[in-house]
Amino acid sequence: MFQFEQSIRLKTLPEQFFASLVAKVNDIQAQGHDVINLGQGNPDQPTPEHIVKSLQMAAEKPTNHKYSPFKGYQYLKDAASAYYRREFGVELDANEEVAILFGGKAGLVELPLCLLNPGDTVLVPDPGYPDYLSGTALALVKSEFMPLLEENDFLPDYNFLDSDVVQRAKMMFLNYPNNPTGASATNEFFEKTVSFAKKHSVCVVHDFAYGAIGFDGIKPISFLQTEGAKDIGIEVYTLSKTYNMAGWRVGFAVGNKSVIQAIELLQDHLYVSLFPAIQEAAATALLDSQDCVSELVATYENRRNIFINGLRSIGWEVSAPKASFFAWLKVPVGFTSETFADYLLNEAHVAVAAGNGFGTYGEGYVRVGLLTSEERLAEAIQRIESLHLF
Ligand SMILES: Cc1ncc(COP(=O)(O)O)c(C=O)c1O
């Protein structure tokens, strides 16, 4: 059989980071061990019942069995705009400032293709969500990394970026609440971002995947709440985390009209929009009672408290995440991210993600997803304690 060669774009794609973690976990499980898997970011709770019901009813309507309008239904764009007004006090023109996405990842991967040319430069957070690099690879653009350091609360310091890189940069990815560090943005940081981006004509792409998950009564802030943000950027929102809808593949981008137009143009050529019944259920999620969201945030906050307090009680000095559902933990002296993650998996059958998989500046940390029950988290602590590391 003829062996077709993959395109340069595909050959440039980075290795899928989680593939090796999944293989290691499968290996330990195949040996008959019970693994507590805290390595991935897949929400463990079901989608709230009223959203599932909405899908069931919508799926029965023959009108929903047809092609959707290419740009998605206007009622879903209206719902996204109502959501932003209600949750963040942000006004959006639902006709021109909202694009419907097949989940946040699709939008994030599409954006470099929408706005950049081969050889252009993008600023990417390090550590950061690995899929930003999938989009930059497909668009054949160059990624330059912005270190996220603990002493700066994991916010990039624009003053320390190389001036040549800044001159070349055309786009920047940001993500707060942050995966993997659990850090939050401040108003002041977003104000600095707007003025930096305007000064250097950089399009800001703020990934707001964890926008609903803030702890200690502090609600995460939207980039679009910052004055002038819409002039220079967009925000990508997903229903995956807020409503436990990761498998449904629905999200939206909001903000700068020219960027929204570019996304819709690319999507007109790549797809017809989402299954209409999913669009109806997504509108239900955004517009109906938000009690399910408060309950979910309380669940993650309780898990965070149990886990962080538990680790501190066994002598591991760790910081508590302020938002998201991740804890970002410094590894004990004598280990690297990878040797420690392997050690926990092999000796305690607890899987965590090695921090270096998220970038060079992730070295020295591991990421824990708070995506299992309080009982399992407590058991993970007992298993770690039995290693007598601290
Ligand atoms: C930081 C971040 N951005 C975006 C996504 C993509 O989410 P989705 O494609 O399900 O909307 C994720 C998912 O894990 C994430 O962690």
Side-chain angles (χ1 to χ4, degrees):
M1 201 198 302
F2 200 90
Q3 187 67 33
F4 292 98
E5 201 178 328
Q6 292 181 347
S7 66
I8 290 171
R9 282 185 165 76
L10 291 202
K11 285 188 193 160
T12 316
L13 284 170
E15 211 177 293
Q16 270 290 355
F17 165 58
F18 284 111
S20 71
L21 178 63
V22 170
K24 284 180 189 175
V25 169
N26 288 346
D27 202 34
I28 299 288
Q29 280 171 333
Q31 293 167 31
H33 299 295
D34 165 36
V35 174
I36 301 178
N37 192 347
L38 310 177
Q40 283 166 277
N42 206 345
D44 60 313
Q45 302 287 304
T47 306
E49 209 177 306
H50 69 286
I51 304 173
V52 176
K53 286 256 151 61
S54 172
L55 173 74
Q56 285 170 339
M57 276 157 43
E60 287 182 11
K61 295 184 201 164
T63 46
N64 281 339
H65 303 166
K66 299 174 181 245
Y67 289 122
S68 158
F70 277 20
K71 293 177 175 47
Y73 278 102
Q74 189 59 38
Y75 65 74
L76 180 52
K77 294 185 172 198
D78 292 341
S81 145
Y83 179 81
Y84 258 69
R85 182 181 309 117
R86 189 189 70 221
E87 296 295 325
F88 307 113
V90 169
E91 291 297 328
L92 294 167
D93 175 344
N95 292 312
E96 293 191 284
E97 294 179 336
V98 182
I100 294 170
L101 304 171
F102 282 85
K105 172 173 170 163
L108 295 163
V109 172
E110 284 162 17
L111 273 154
L113 278 177
C114 288
L115 299 184
L116 305 176
N117 295 310
D120 283 349
T121 296
V122 183
L123 299 171
V124 181
D126 176 356
Y129 175 60
D131 290 5
Y132 304 137
L133 301 181
S134 311
T136 58
L138 283 177
L140 302 176
V141 302
K142 191 167 163 38
S143 300
E144 295 282 0
F145 294 98
M146 302 186 287
L148 305 187
L149 306 177
E150 191 156 359
E151 61 259 36
N152 297 335
D153 296 324
F154 300 110
L155 300 168
D157 186 341
Y158 301 126
N159 296 324
F160 280 87
L161 299 179
D162 188 292
S163 62
D164 171 57
V165 167
V166 170
Q167 290 314 317
R168 278 190 280 120
K170 296 205 169 148
M171 183 188 279
M172 166 201 295
F173 285 105
L174 289 176
N175 164 227
Y176 295 97
N178 185 254
N179 175 10
T181 67
S184 293
T186 58
N187 291 317
E188 191 199 353
F189 169 71
F190 278 154
E191 281 159 17
K192 275 191 209 160
T193 300
V194 168
S195 58
F196 169 83
K198 283 190 174 175
K199 183 168 171 202
H200 301 287
S201 311
V202 172
C203 175
V204 178
V205 177
H206 181 236
D207 175 2
F208 203 29
Y210 300 91
I213 309 171
F215 301 139
D216 310 312
I218 301 173
K219 192 178 165 75
I221 50 177
S222 157
F223 175 62
L224 297 189
Q225 285 169 300
T226 316
E227 184 150 356
K230 251 196 240 175
D231 298 337
I232 197 71
I234 62 155
E235 190 153 80
V236 174
Y237 199 90
T238 171
L239 278 70
S240 294
K241 321 288 173 172
T242 309
Y243 303 103
N244 293 320
M245 292 171 71
W248 297 50
R249 313 312 304 138
V250 51
F252 48 87
V254 285
N256 185 282
K257 287 180 190 174
S258 62
V259 181
I260 297 299
Q261 212 175 28
I263 294 174
E264 293 198 322
L265 176 60
L266 178 66
Q267 294 194 154
D268 277 354
H269 289 266
L270 287 177
Y271 333 101
V272 176
S273 193
L274 285 65
F275 174 35
I278 287 187
Q279 298 190 51
E280 272 198 35
T284 300
L286 295 167
L287 299 176
D288 269 20
S289 163
Q290 300 296 300
D291 289 352
C292 55
V293 183
S294 330
E295 284 160 22
L296 185 68
V297 174
T299 299
Y300 289 142
E301 186 162 336
N302 288 337
R303 289 177 181 179
R304 177 204 63 167
N305 294 343
I306 283 174
F307 190 69
I308 296 293
N309 293 339
L311 291 180
R312 288 174 178 165
S313 77
I314 64 169
W316 190 355
E317 279 179 36
V318 293
S319 308
K322 294 181 179 153
S324 84
F325 48 54
F326 296 114
W328 185 239
L329 311 174
K330 257 202 175 115
V331 303
V333 178
F335 287 98
T336 65
S337 293
E338 210 141 355
T339 59
F340 187 61
D342 286 346
Y343 184 72
L344 284 188
L345 181 59
N346 294 326
E347 304 302 323
H349 308 140
V350 172
V352 298
N356 62 317
F358 300 93
T360 314
Y361 287 88
E363 179 50 54
Y365 294 87
V366 288
R367 191 196 71 177
V368 166
L370 301 167
L371 299 169
T372 189
S373 66
E374 294 178 13
E375 292 72 31
R376 292 287 276 174
L377 289 170
E379 190 183 333
I381 288 158
Q382 279 178 4
R383 292 190 192 181
I384 297 170
E385 185 179 21
S386 71
L387 301 174
H388 301 295
L389 285 162
F390 304 101

